[in-house]
PDB file of all heavy atoms in Angstrom:
ATOM      1  N   LEU A   1      98.637 102.877  91.432  1.00 98.00           N
ATOM      2  CA  LEU A   1      98.961 102.728  92.841  1.00 98.00           C
ATOM      3  C   LEU A   1      97.705 102.266  93.558  1.00 98.00           C
ATOM      4  O   LEU A   1      96.673 102.947  93.505  1.00 98.00           O
ATOM      5  CB  LEU A   1      99.454 104.050  93.430  1.00 98.00           C
ATOM      6  CG  LEU A   1     100.738 104.620  92.814  1.00 98.00           C
ATOM      7  CD1 LEU A   1     101.052 105.988  93.401  1.00 98.00           C
ATOM      8  CD2 LEU A   1     101.905 103.667  93.050  1.00 98.00           C
ATOM      9  N   ALA A   2      97.769 101.125  94.226  1.00 98.00           N
ATOM     10  CA  ALA A   2      96.575 100.533  94.835  1.00 98.00           C
ATOM     11  C   ALA A   2      96.857 100.101  96.261  1.00 98.00           C
ATOM     12  O   ALA A   2      97.874  99.441  96.529  1.00 98.00           O
ATOM     13  CB  ALA A   2      96.105  99.328  94.019  1.00 98.00           C
ATOM     14  N   MET A   3      95.964 100.471  97.167  1.00 98.00           N
ATOM     15  CA  MET A   3      96.071  99.951  98.530  1.00 98.00           C
ATOM     16  C   MET A   3      95.953  98.427  98.479  1.00 98.00           C
ATOM     17  O   MET A   3      95.234  97.871  97.644  1.00 98.00           O
ATOM     18  CB  MET A   3      94.978 100.538  99.421  1.00 98.00           C
ATOM     19  CG  MET A   3      95.090 102.037  99.623  1.00 98.00           C
ATOM     20  SD  MET A   3      96.641 102.569 100.404  1.00 98.00           S
ATOM     21  CE  MET A   3      96.367 102.044 102.105  1.00 98.00           C
ATOM     22  N   ASN A   4      96.651  97.760  99.374  1.00 98.00           N
ATOM     23  CA  ASN A   4      96.704  96.303  99.341  1.00 98.00           C
ATOM     24  C   ASN A   4      95.332  95.662  99.507  1.00 98.00           C
ATOM     25  O   ASN A   4      95.111  94.523  99.086  1.00 98.00           O
ATOM     26  CB  ASN A   4      97.647  95.792 100.430  1.00 98.00           C
ATOM     27  CG  ASN A   4      98.076  94.361 100.205  1.00 98.00           C
ATOM     28  OD1 ASN A   4      98.267  93.936  99.076  1.00 98.00           O
ATOM     29  ND2 ASN A   4      98.215  93.612 101.292  1.00 98.00           N
ATOM     30  N   ALA A   5      94.390  96.401 100.114  1.00 95.00           N
ATOM     31  CA  ALA A   5      93.043  95.870 100.333  1.00 95.00           C
ATOM     32  C   ALA A   5      92.132  96.090  99.127  1.00 95.00           C
ATOM     33  O   ALA A   5      90.946  95.751  99.181  1.00 95.00           O
ATOM     34  CB  ALA A   5      92.422  96.513 101.571  1.00 95.00           C
ATOM     35  N   SER A   6      92.651  96.629  98.040  1.00 98.00           N
ATOM     36  CA  SER A   6      91.821  96.884  96.852  1.00 98.00           C
ATOM     37  C   SER A   6      91.327  95.571  96.259  1.00 98.00           C
ATOM     38  O   SER A   6      91.968  94.534  96.364  1.00 98.00           O
ATOM     39  CB  SER A   6      92.616  97.654  95.794  1.00 98.00           C
ATOM     40  OG  SER A   6      93.107  98.877  96.304  1.00 98.00           O
ATOM     41  N   GLY A   7      90.189  95.640  95.600  1.00 97.00           N
ATOM     42  CA  GLY A   7      89.631  94.424  95.015  1.00 97.00           C
ATOM     43  C   GLY A   7      88.506  94.755  94.041  1.00 97.00           C
ATOM     44  O   GLY A   7      88.249  95.922  93.741  1.00 97.00           O
ATOM     45  N   PRO A   8      87.832  93.708  93.531  1.00 98.00           N
ATOM     46  CA  PRO A   8      88.025  92.294  93.866  1.00 98.00           C
ATOM     47  C   PRO A   8      89.315  91.733  93.264  1.00 98.00           C
ATOM     48  O   PRO A   8      89.913  92.341  92.374  1.00 98.00           O
ATOM     49  CB  PRO A   8      86.794  91.617  93.257  1.00 98.00           C
ATOM     50  CG  PRO A   8      86.413  92.519  92.121  1.00 98.00           C
ATOM     51  CD  PRO A   8      86.737  93.910  92.559  1.00 98.00           C
ATOM     52  N   ALA A   9      89.713  90.561  93.760  1.00 97.00           N
ATOM     53  CA  ALA A   9      90.990  89.976  93.367  1.00 97.00           C
ATOM     54  C   ALA A   9      91.073  89.735  91.863  1.00 97.00           C
ATOM     55  O   ALA A   9      92.120  89.980  91.245  1.00 97.00           O
ATOM     56  CB  ALA A   9      91.223  88.675  94.137  1.00 97.00           C
ATOM     57  N   ASP A  10      89.980  89.248  91.238  1.00 98.00           N
ATOM     58  CA  ASP A  10      89.993  88.978  89.801  1.00 98.00           C
ATOM     59  C   ASP A  10      90.295  90.241  89.005  1.00 98.00           C
ATOM     60  O   ASP A  10      91.068  90.208  88.038  1.00 98.00           O
ATOM     61  CB  ASP A  10      88.652  88.398  89.353  1.00 98.00           C
ATOM     62  CG  ASP A  10      88.512  86.920  89.692  1.00 98.00           C
ATOM     63  OD1 ASP A  10      89.504  86.327  90.158  1.00 98.00           O
ATOM     64  OD2 ASP A  10      87.409  86.370  89.483  1.00 98.00           O
ATOM     65  N   ALA A  11      89.682  91.347  89.417  1.00 98.00           N
ATOM     66  CA  ALA A  11      89.904  92.604  88.701  1.00 98.00           C
ATOM     67  C   ALA A  11      91.347  93.067  88.864  1.00 98.00           C
ATOM     68  O   ALA A  11      91.978  93.523  87.897  1.00 98.00           O
ATOM     69  CB  ALA A  11      88.942  93.674  89.210  1.00 98.00           C
ATOM     70  N   MET A  12      91.890  92.940  90.057  1.00 98.00           N
ATOM     71  CA  MET A  12      93.274  93.357  90.273  1.00 98.00           C
ATOM     72  C   MET A  12      94.231  92.466  89.495  1.00 98.00           C
ATOM     73  O   MET A  12      95.245  92.941  88.958  1.00 98.00           O
ATOM     74  CB  MET A  12      93.604  93.342  91.767  1.00 98.00           C
ATOM     75  CG  MET A  12      92.735  94.264  92.620  1.00 98.00           C
ATOM     76  SD  MET A  12      92.591  95.968  91.983  1.00 98.00           S
ATOM     77  CE  MET A  12      94.301  96.524  92.041  1.00 98.00           C
ATOM     78  N   ASP A  13      93.925  91.176  89.386  1.00 98.00           N
ATOM     79  CA  ASP A  13      94.755  90.271  88.581  1.00 98.00           C
ATOM     80  C   ASP A  13      94.752  90.687  87.114  1.00 98.00           C
ATOM     81  O   ASP A  13      95.778  90.641  86.428  1.00 98.00           O
ATOM     82  CB  ASP A  13      94.246  88.834  88.705  1.00 98.00           C
ATOM     83  CG  ASP A  13      94.557  88.200  90.062  1.00 98.00           C
ATOM     84  OD1 ASP A  13      95.418  88.741  90.778  1.00 98.00           O
ATOM     85  OD2 ASP A  13      93.927  87.182  90.394  1.00 98.00           O
ATOM     86  N   GLN A  14      93.592  91.099  86.618  1.00 98.00           N
ATOM     87  CA  GLN A  14      93.490  91.552  85.230  1.00 98.00           C
ATOM     88  C   GLN A  14      94.330  92.802  85.012  1.00 98.00           C
ATOM     89  O   GLN A  14      95.003  92.943  83.988  1.00 98.00           O
ATOM     90  CB  GLN A  14      92.035  91.841  84.887  1.00 98.00           C
ATOM     91  CG  GLN A  14      91.155  90.601  84.803  1.00 98.00           C
ATOM     92  CD  GLN A  14      89.692  90.969  84.640  1.00 98.00           C
ATOM     93  OE1 GLN A  14      89.370  92.112  84.362  1.00 98.00           O
ATOM     94  NE2 GLN A  14      88.823  89.994  84.800  1.00 98.00           N
ATOM     95  N   ILE A  15      94.299  93.697  85.975  1.00 98.00           N
ATOM     96  CA  ILE A  15      95.062  94.944  85.861  1.00 98.00           C
ATOM     97  C   ILE A  15      96.555  94.643  85.864  1.00 98.00           C
ATOM     98  O   ILE A  15      97.323  95.207  85.069  1.00 98.00           O
ATOM     99  CB  ILE A  15      94.672  95.905  86.997  1.00 98.00           C
ATOM    100  CG1 ILE A  15      93.219  96.365  86.820  1.00 98.00           C
ATOM    101  CG2 ILE A  15      95.601  97.116  87.015  1.00 98.00           C
ATOM    102  CD1 ILE A  15      92.656  97.107  88.021  1.00 98.00           C
ATOM    103  N   VAL A  16      96.990  93.745  86.736  1.00 98.00           N
ATOM    104  CA  VAL A  16      98.398  93.346  86.755  1.00 98.00           C
ATOM    105  C   VAL A  16      98.794  92.735  85.415  1.00 98.00           C
ATOM    106  O   VAL A  16      99.874  92.998  84.872  1.00 98.00           O
ATOM    107  CB  VAL A  16      98.662  92.353  87.912  1.00 98.00           C
ATOM    108  CG1 VAL A  16     100.046  91.728  87.786  1.00 98.00           C
ATOM    109  CG2 VAL A  16      98.513  93.043  89.263  1.00 98.00           C
ATOM    110  N   ALA A  17      97.904  91.913  84.843  1.00 97.00           N
ATOM    111  CA  ALA A  17      98.188  91.246  83.574  1.00 97.00           C
ATOM    112  C   ALA A  17      98.287  92.209  82.404  1.00 97.00           C
ATOM    113  O   ALA A  17      98.826  91.857  81.349  1.00 97.00           O
ATOM    114  CB  ALA A  17      97.104  90.202  83.283  1.00 97.00           C
ATOM    115  N   SER A  18      97.805  93.428  82.557  1.00 96.00           N
ATOM    116  CA  SER A  18      97.825  94.398  81.458  1.00 96.00           C
ATOM    117  C   SER A  18      99.240  94.819  81.085  1.00 96.00           C
ATOM    118  O   SER A  18      99.471  95.312  79.985  1.00 96.00           O
ATOM    119  CB  SER A  18      97.015  95.644  81.834  1.00 96.00           C
ATOM    120  OG  SER A  18      97.720  96.429  82.798  1.00 96.00           O
ATOM    121  N   GLY A  19     100.184  94.645  81.990  1.00 95.00           N
ATOM    122  CA  GLY A  19     101.545  95.081  81.730  1.00 95.00           C
ATOM    123  C   GLY A  19     101.840  96.477  82.224  1.00 95.00           C
ATOM    124  O   GLY A  19     102.998  96.899  82.277  1.00 95.00           O
ATOM    125  N   ILE A  20     100.810  97.239  82.598  1.00 97.00           N
ATOM    126  CA  ILE A  20     101.019  98.554  83.207  1.00 97.00           C
ATOM    127  C   ILE A  20     101.576  98.339  84.612  1.00 97.00           C
ATOM    128  O   ILE A  20     101.097  97.473  85.349  1.00 97.00           O
ATOM    129  CB  ILE A  20      99.698  99.337  83.274  1.00 97.00           C
ATOM    130  CG1 ILE A  20      99.169  99.584  81.865  1.00 97.00           C
ATOM    131  CG2 ILE A  20      99.889 100.677  83.999  1.00 97.00           C
ATOM    132  CD1 ILE A  20      97.775 100.160  81.842  1.00 97.00           C
ATOM    133  N   PRO A  21     102.580  99.105  85.031  1.00 97.00           N
ATOM    134  CA  PRO A  21     103.119  98.938  86.389  1.00 97.00           C
ATOM    135  C   PRO A  21     102.030  99.139  87.451  1.00 97.00           C
ATOM    136  O   PRO A  21     101.335 100.161  87.459  1.00 97.00           O
ATOM    137  CB  PRO A  21     104.183 100.025  86.482  1.00 97.00           C
ATOM    138  CG  PRO A  21     104.583 100.287  85.069  1.00 97.00           C
ATOM    139  CD  PRO A  21     103.328 100.122  84.265  1.00 97.00           C
ATOM    140  N   VAL A  22     101.874  98.139  88.311  1.00 98.00           N
ATOM    141  CA  VAL A  22     100.928  98.196  89.419  1.00 98.00           C
ATOM    142  C   VAL A  22     101.713  98.037  90.707  1.00 98.00           C
ATOM    143  O   VAL A  22     102.413  97.034  90.900  1.00 98.00           O
ATOM    144  CB  VAL A  22      99.864  97.083  89.327  1.00 98.00           C
ATOM    145  CG1 VAL A  22      98.895  97.176  90.505  1.00 98.00           C
ATOM    146  CG2 VAL A  22      99.116  97.156  88.007  1.00 98.00           C
ATOM    147  N   VAL A  23     101.624  99.013  91.585  1.00 98.00           N
ATOM    148  CA  VAL A  23     102.330  98.976  92.863  1.00 98.00           C
ATOM    149  C   VAL A  23     101.297  98.893  93.979  1.00 98.00           C
ATOM    150  O   VAL A  23     100.454  99.785  94.120  1.00 98.00           O
ATOM    151  CB  VAL A  23     103.217 100.229  93.043  1.00 98.00           C
ATOM    152  CG1 VAL A  23     103.841 100.251  94.434  1.00 98.00           C
ATOM    153  CG2 VAL A  23     104.301 100.279  91.976  1.00 98.00           C
ATOM    154  N   PHE A  24     101.338  97.809  94.759  1.00 98.00           N
ATOM    155  CA  PHE A  24     100.434  97.651  95.888  1.00 98.00           C
ATOM    156  C   PHE A  24     101.062  98.293  97.124  1.00 98.00           C
ATOM    157  O   PHE A  24     102.242  98.093  97.415  1.00 98.00           O
ATOM    158  CB  PHE A  24     100.136  96.174  96.148  1.00 98.00           C
ATOM    159  CG  PHE A  24      99.256  95.547  95.093  1.00 98.00           C
ATOM    160  CD1 PHE A  24      99.810  94.785  94.070  1.00 98.00           C
ATOM    161  CD2 PHE A  24      97.885  95.745  95.114  1.00 98.00           C
ATOM    162  CE1 PHE A  24      99.004  94.223  93.092  1.00 98.00           C
ATOM    163  CE2 PHE A  24      97.070  95.187  94.141  1.00 98.00           C
ATOM    164  CZ  PHE A  24      97.629  94.421  93.117  1.00 98.00           C
ATOM    165  N   VAL A  25     100.244  99.061  97.855  1.00 98.00           N
ATOM    166  CA  VAL A  25     100.712  99.859  98.983  1.00 98.00           C
ATOM    167  C   VAL A  25     100.172  99.271 100.278  1.00 98.00           C
ATOM    168  O   VAL A  25      98.975  98.991 100.393  1.00 98.00           O
ATOM    169  CB  VAL A  25     100.262 101.332  98.829  1.00 98.00           C
ATOM    170  CG1 VAL A  25     100.747 102.171  99.994  1.00 98.00           C
ATOM    171  CG2 VAL A  25     100.773 101.896  97.503  1.00 98.00           C
ATOM    172  N   ASP A  26     101.041  99.111 101.256  1.00 98.00           N
ATOM    173  CA  ASP A  26     100.668  98.540 102.548  1.00 98.00           C
ATOM    174  C   ASP A  26      99.514  99.325 103.168  1.00 98.00           C
ATOM    175  O   ASP A  26      99.513 100.556 103.170  1.00 98.00           O
ATOM    176  CB  ASP A  26     101.878  98.565 103.486  1.00 98.00           C
ATOM    177  CG  ASP A  26     101.556  98.055 104.868  1.00 98.00           C
ATOM    178  OD1 ASP A  26     100.888  97.012 104.977  1.00 98.00           O
ATOM    179  OD2 ASP A  26     101.959  98.713 105.860  1.00 98.00           O
ATOM    180  N   SER A  27      98.526  98.610 103.722  1.00 97.00           N
ATOM    181  CA  SER A  27      97.353  99.268 104.300  1.00 97.00           C
ATOM    182  C   SER A  27      97.265  99.095 105.808  1.00 97.00           C
ATOM    183  O   SER A  27      96.199  99.254 106.401  1.00 97.00           O
ATOM    184  CB  SER A  27      96.075  98.729 103.640  1.00 97.00           C
ATOM    185  OG  SER A  27      96.003  97.325 103.748  1.00 97.00           O
ATOM    186  N   THR A  28      98.393  98.785 106.459  1.00 97.00           N
ATOM    187  CA  THR A  28      98.410  98.627 107.917  1.00 97.00           C
ATOM    188  C   THR A  28      97.956  99.911 108.599  1.00 97.00           C
ATOM    189  O   THR A  28      98.316 101.014 108.187  1.00 97.00           O
ATOM    190  CB  THR A  28      99.821  98.252 108.400  1.00 97.00           C
ATOM    191  OG1 THR A  28     100.227  97.041 107.753  1.00 97.00           O
ATOM    192  CG2 THR A  28      99.857  98.062 109.902  1.00 97.00           C
ATOM    193  N   SER A  29      97.168  99.754 109.671  1.00 97.00           N
ATOM    194  CA  SER A  29      96.638 100.911 110.404  1.00 97.00           C
ATOM    195  C   SER A  29      97.474 101.153 111.656  1.00 97.00           C
ATOM    196  O   SER A  29      97.163 100.657 112.745  1.00 97.00           O
ATOM    197  CB  SER A  29      95.171 100.661 110.791  1.00 97.00           C
ATOM    198  OG  SER A  29      94.378 100.426 109.648  1.00 97.00           O
ATOM    199  N   SER A  30      98.538 101.928 111.512  1.00 97.00           N
ATOM    200  CA  SER A  30      99.389 102.266 112.657  1.00 97.00           C
ATOM    201  C   SER A  30     100.172 103.529 112.332  1.00 97.00           C
ATOM    202  O   SER A  30     100.390 103.846 111.153  1.00 97.00           O
ATOM    203  CB  SER A  30     100.363 101.126 112.974  1.00 97.00           C
ATOM    204  OG  SER A  30     101.378 101.050 111.996  1.00 97.00           O
ATOM    205  N   PRO A  31     100.618 104.267 113.360  1.00 98.00           N
ATOM    206  CA  PRO A  31     101.429 105.465 113.111  1.00 98.00           C
ATOM    207  C   PRO A  31     102.694 105.152 112.321  1.00 98.00           C
ATOM    208  O   PRO A  31     103.056 105.887 111.392  1.00 98.00           O
ATOM    209  CB  PRO A  31     101.754 105.967 114.522  1.00 98.00           C
ATOM    210  CG  PRO A  31     100.612 105.498 115.355  1.00 98.00           C
ATOM    211  CD  PRO A  31     100.265 104.146 114.795  1.00 98.00           C
ATOM    212  N   ASP A  32     103.384 104.071 112.681  1.00 98.00           N
ATOM    213  CA  ASP A  32     104.604 103.715 111.973  1.00 98.00           C
ATOM    214  C   ASP A  32     104.326 103.432 110.500  1.00 98.00           C
ATOM    215  O   ASP A  32     105.101 103.825 109.617  1.00 98.00           O
ATOM    216  CB  ASP A  32     105.246 102.491 112.634  1.00 98.00           C
ATOM    217  CG  ASP A  32     106.597 102.145 112.031  1.00 98.00           C
ATOM    218  OD1 ASP A  32     107.477 103.027 111.996  1.00 98.00           O
ATOM    219  OD2 ASP A  32     106.775 100.992 111.590  1.00 98.00           O
ATOM    220  N   ALA A  33     103.202 102.769 110.225  1.00 98.00           N
ATOM    221  CA  ALA A  33     102.843 102.454 108.843  1.00 98.00           C
ATOM    222  C   ALA A  33     102.560 103.715 108.033  1.00 98.00           C
ATOM    223  O   ALA A  33     102.881 103.775 106.839  1.00 98.00           O
ATOM    224  CB  ALA A  33     101.640 101.527 108.808  1.00 98.00           C
TER     225      ALA A  33
END
């Protein structure tokens, strides 16, 4: 589980490519979020 602002992008791409489920979580800063 990773906040959408996680990085760097290359590392996150590698993690996605591993085949392990990766769920990106919205990082909006608001009460509704």
Side-chain angles (χ1 to χ4, degrees):
L1 298 175
M3 295 300 286
N4 197 36
S6 302
D10 282 353
M12 300 311 298
D13 287 344
Q14 290 173 13
I15 293 169
V16 169
S18 73
I20 298 171
V22 180
V23 174
F24 289 99
V25 180
D26 177 45
S27 55
T28 302
S29 301
S30 72
D32 186 55

